[in-house]
Amino acid sequence: MSEQAIYGAGTNVGVQLLNRLDDGRLPVDVHDFAEAINRCVLVDKTMFIADVLDCDASVVVCCRPKGFGKSMNLSMLRAFLERPAVGPAVDRAGRSLFADAQIWDAGGGRYRDECACYPVISLDFSGAARRGATVTGVVRDAFMGECARLLAYLEAPDLPRGKLRHIERVARGVASEDEIGLVLGVLIELLEMACDEQVVLLVDGYDVAWLGYVGATDNRGAGLTERLGRVLFDAIAAAGDSLRLACMMGECPGPAEAALSARSCSYRLATPLSTWCDRWFGFSDAEVRALLSHAGCEECLDDAREWLEGYRFGGAYCSSPARVIGFLDRGCTPPMRADLYGYADCLSEVVAGWNLDRLSALFDLLEAHGCVEVPLRLDAAGPDALPDDDPWTALYLSGFLTTDMTEEPVNGDLRRALRLPNSELRYVLRLVIIEWFECAAEDVRDIDAFRDGLCRGDEDAVRRALGRVLGDAGIGATDPDAPLPYHLLLQGLCFGLPGYANPASRRTCGADRWDIQVFPTGNVFDVADTIGMLDERPLITINMIYDPGVDALGLELLAVHALLEIERNGIDEIRVPRPGVGRMRWGFGFDGQRVAAVCQRL
């Protein structure tokens, strides 16, 4: 059942599809509303425009993870508000892009009065930044293209020639850095004079520099904050009533909040925790159902819910539009491994540099009802604002974790239970963990040898492979007197066993519980998970003991003792789940440098 149905959130109110063609295709890799509306099937999110126009603040900042419709909503706002450079404004009787949308008749039609009225400055920092440009290059490219586009609005004969030449130099790409830093204010002033109307400013990906999408040569410290502050936020503060509104889209709310507060600008902030605009980003259960019905795939709703939904923003549960569209584009089939490589790479970037202890928290997230309770620091204003030991906010803002505890959205000290939202993210995290351990070994064949030997009961193969991986991963180098790293290594290496589910650890159940169980499963992700899979797979139970003071004989006795404790403590006294056949017990002994392993097959 849908989480929305369970919790009573996100009902069927206002669900509508925009489909001007009977055979309209899905907007795969299309993020521009004006381009998509005439040839694609779109979910009607046009009441976002009403919320923005009704807002009593001069600046609106909307933050959501990648793939939740920020660019589409921003381009929709531009399509509604922007006046043509030449010719009549818009035939509101029928030619408007929005004639069939909810916004057109909302409020008795009062929003039509602002349709096609304003000169719009549209800055996109996200695309160029993700191509690896520096901050300076991102800003220069964005303003160069926009100044060139807006020259058509600046043909009035009474405009100040010096300021117009300023715009022309930026458009030609010959402006100095100082001229780039001042161009937004000049552009707002000239557009207001030329059009005799307030200006609308739209900024997509304003925070890409803070999120590390740009080249590292100028992506650190106060210089970055000062540069973007001067180019963007100083101009917004100075524009005053010359701006009808400024709408900014990004993932991280902290930079905008800090910059706007410091400049005493009035603003409205929509974070993933807040309820304002919560229905206009992401697809609700009812909207996913409508898309599936349009595609004739109503029977796939349960699969879509399991794989894709589970995000909660404000008071609404939703799915990622990008992932839903991919699901529909694949013919409503669950993703395969190849479909998730890019997603896994994004997650790997967020968790890059994590050590084994930090990965242990990710292991816990994959447990049934797994979560981590941490505060969310949404007010972090820069790349160094998040402490190194608190990466959870970055995972939340990137859309890899979600929380149901959205109350008190401005309370940065409230501990919130973060969880994985759906099966797709669980498989993505599994891929990342497998890759982490494969990269930790100098020779990936050692990982394969360990997994194969573990499934087949080959003590010598497991001991040799594990001994080599211990040295490669540096286990015990930083905390030689603790058993936890060895336990985590065993658990991590058990991810990806062919024909088995994710390993379940008991270490959180109490002190000195170092047992792990790996259950055989008939559910395999794709054909790659069947490589090396045995026809008869036993329930595997692992236990370990760590003692840095033993000799070689004592190390062997540790492994035997760990094995005997499995039976003595009744660790595997459960019915073997199908398709499992029999039981296999493993005992491991560690002394900080060496490993001993013994196996018993029942």
Side-chain angles (χ1 to χ4, degrees):
M1 179 181 289
S2 165
E3 286 177 302
Q4 297 177 56
I6 294 172
Y7 294 102
T11 57
N12 295 347
V13 176
V15 176
Q16 178 176 317
L17 297 184
L18 300 176
N19 181 25
R20 296 192 169 189
L21 301 174
D22 291 337
D23 58 347
R25 68 178 184 87
L26 294 167
V28 178
D29 294 327
V30 179
H31 306 289
D32 183 80
F33 182 86
E35 176 186 356
I37 186 63
N38 287 318
R39 56 190 180 95
C40 297
V41 179
L42 300 179
V43 174
D44 191 339
K45 298 286 188 179
T46 56
M47 290 307 292
F48 169 72
I49 300 170
D51 279 356
V52 172
L53 292 178
D54 288 342
C55 182
D56 56 2
S58 60
V59 182
V60 172
V61 182
C62 297
C63 295
R64 286 293 187 275
K66 180 182 177 182
F68 278 86
K70 300 188 301 295
S71 296
M72 183 67 82
N73 276 2
L74 202 64
S75 67
M76 178 180 69
L77 193 59
R78 172 181 168 182
F80 188 84
L81 296 177
E82 187 170 40
R83 63 185 290 175
V86 294
V90 65
D91 181 2
R92 295 188 176 99
R95 285 197 294 127
S96 169
L97 296 175
F98 298 87
D100 300 324
Q102 293 174 345
I103 186 66
W104 199 246
D105 294 319
R110 63 187 178 89
Y111 297 107
R112 301 178 199 171
D113 295 338
E114 298 193 69
C115 183
C117 284
Y118 304 103
V120 175
I121 301 171
S122 180
L123 300 173
D124 183 0
F125 294 143
S126 60
R130 291 189 173 93
R131 292 194 297 270
T134 62
V135 174
T136 301
V138 168
V139 172
R140 179 180 292 274
D141 290 349
F143 278 109
M144 184 171 68
E146 193 63 359
C147 284
R149 184 184 74 86
L150 292 173
L151 281 174
Y153 289 82
L154 304 178
E155 296 181 352
D158 56 344
L159 296 180
R161 295 307 305 164
K163 294 183 177 180
L164 186 57
R165 280 193 291 270
H166 186 162
I167 303 301
E168 291 171 342
R169 286 179 58 79
V170 174
R172 290 163 49 206
V174 297
S176 67
E177 187 171 341
D178 287 341
E179 287 176 312
I180 296 291
L182 298 172
V183 70
L184 181 55
V186 175
L187 194 54
I188 292 172
E189 178 184 351
L190 293 183
L191 285 173
E192 185 182 28
M193 294 174 61
C195 301
D196 193 27
E197 190 58 80
Q198 290 175 297
V199 178
V200 170
L201 172 63
L202 308 178
V203 184
D204 195 5
Y206 81 90
D207 60 340
V208 289
W210 279 276
L211 294 175
Y213 294 135
V214 297
T217 55
D218 60 352
N219 185 29
R220 291 295 182 269
L224 168 65
T225 305
E226 181 181 351
R227 183 177 296 113
L228 290 185
R230 183 175 68 251
V231 171
L232 188 59
F233 296 107
D234 281 357
I236 291 174
D241 292 338
S242 295
L243 284 178
R244 167 60 178 89
L245 63 91
C247 184
M248 308 175 71
M249 297 284 185
E251 294 178 26
C252 182
E257 188 170 18
L260 294 169
S261 297
R263 291 163 175 81
S264 300
C265 295
S266 65
Y267 65 93
R268 183 73 181 268
L269 179 64
T271 75
L273 293 176
S274 55
T275 57
W276 187 67
C277 284
D278 58 358
R279 289 192 60 228
W280 312 130
F281 296 91
F283 287 168
S284 70
D285 182 67
E287 289 165 341
V288 172
R289 189 186 303 117
L291 285 170
L292 290 171
S293 177
H294 171 78
C297 299
E298 298 94 331
E299 71 280 1
C300 299
L301 180 60
D302 287 341
D303 282 343
R305 288 167 170 171
E306 175 190 351
W307 282 94
L308 305 171
E309 104 167 342
Y311 299 94
R312 179 169 178 172
F313 296 141
Y317 283 93
C318 68
S319 303
S320 161
R323 310 309 295 179
V324 170
I325 290 169
F327 179 78
L328 286 160
D329 191 47
R330 292 192 303 270
C332 297
T333 59
M336 302 297 285
R337 190 183 305 265
D339 301 317
L340 296 180
Y341 279 144
Y343 213 13
D345 288 343
C346 293
L347 177 56
S348 294
E349 290 178 8
V350 179
V351 300
W354 280 36
N355 56 32
L356 203 58
D357 290 342
R358 288 182 175 176
L359 276 172
S360 69
L362 299 184
F363 296 170
D364 294 339
L365 286 170
L366 286 169
E367 300 278 359
H369 310 293
C371 67
V372 57
E373 293 188 6
V374 294
L376 289 174
R377 308 296 186 184
L378 300 189
D379 57 348
D384 300 320
L386 289 175
D388 290 339
D389 60 351
D390 180 23
W392 302 108
T393 299
L395 287 169
Y396 175 69
L397 291 176
S398 300
F400 296 112
L401 296 177
T402 189
T403 182
D404 301 305
M405 300 172 62
T406 58
E407 65 274 12
E408 301 182 50
V410 298
N411 186 349
D413 296 322
L414 179 64
R415 296 179 67 85
R416 305 175 194 270
L418 303 184
R419 61 175 174 85
L420 293 166
N422 49 48
S423 291
E424 187 175 60
L425 261 298
R426 282 187 279 275
Y427 273 104
V428 168
L429 180 53
R430 174 184 168 96
L431 292 177
V432 169
I433 290 172
I434 292 171
E435 182 183 30
W436 193 93
F437 282 90
E438 290 178 348
C439 291
E442 289 187 6
D443 191 339
V444 72
R445 288 175 296 183
D446 290 332
I447 305 292
D448 294 334
F450 172 85
R451 293 171 179 161
D452 185 65
L454 192 76
C455 294
R456 296 179 183 275
D458 189 336
E459 295 176 0
D460 289 338
V462 167
R463 178 179 49 80
R464 289 194 299 268
L466 187 55
R468 288 191 291 267
V469 175
L470 272 172
D472 297 342
I475 301 300
T478 57
D479 195 0
D481 295 326
L484 179 60
Y486 303 95
H487 174 84
L488 295 175
L489 176 67
L490 286 173
Q491 184 181 358
L493 291 174
C494 289
F495 281 92
L497 289 183
Y500 283 86
N502 295 331
S505 168
R506 307 292 183 87
R507 70 179 180 279
T508 59
C509 297
D512 297 325
R513 286 297 300 266
W514 304 112
D515 49 294
I516 301 167
Q517 284 191 306
V518 198
F519 295 90
T521 179
N523 298 322
V524 294
F525 185 38
D526 57 29
V527 67
D529 290 319
T530 67
I531 298 175
M533 189 170 71
L534 301 178
D535 292 334
E536 296 184 353
R537 284 161 283 144
L539 167 66
I540 298 176
T541 303
I542 296 171
N543 195 29
M544 59 154 282
I545 298 178
Y546 172 76
D547 186 346
V550 298
D551 56 17
L553 178 59
L555 185 64
E556 296 293 335
L557 292 175
L558 284 181
V560 173
H561 184 52
L563 179 67
L564 294 176
E565 280 192 346
I566 295 176
E567 182 176 6
R568 185 180 301 123
N569 296 328
I571 294 174
D572 64 349
E573 287 185 357
I574 59 173
R575 183 175 182 178
V576 177
R578 293 182 179 181
V581 178
R583 308 170 195 269
M584 184 179 291
R585 296 168 176 168
W586 280 92
F588 290 91
F590 295 95
D591 66 358
Q593 296 179 333
R594 298 164 298 171
V595 58
V598 294
C599 176
Q600 181 184 29
R601 180 72 184 259
L602 301 176

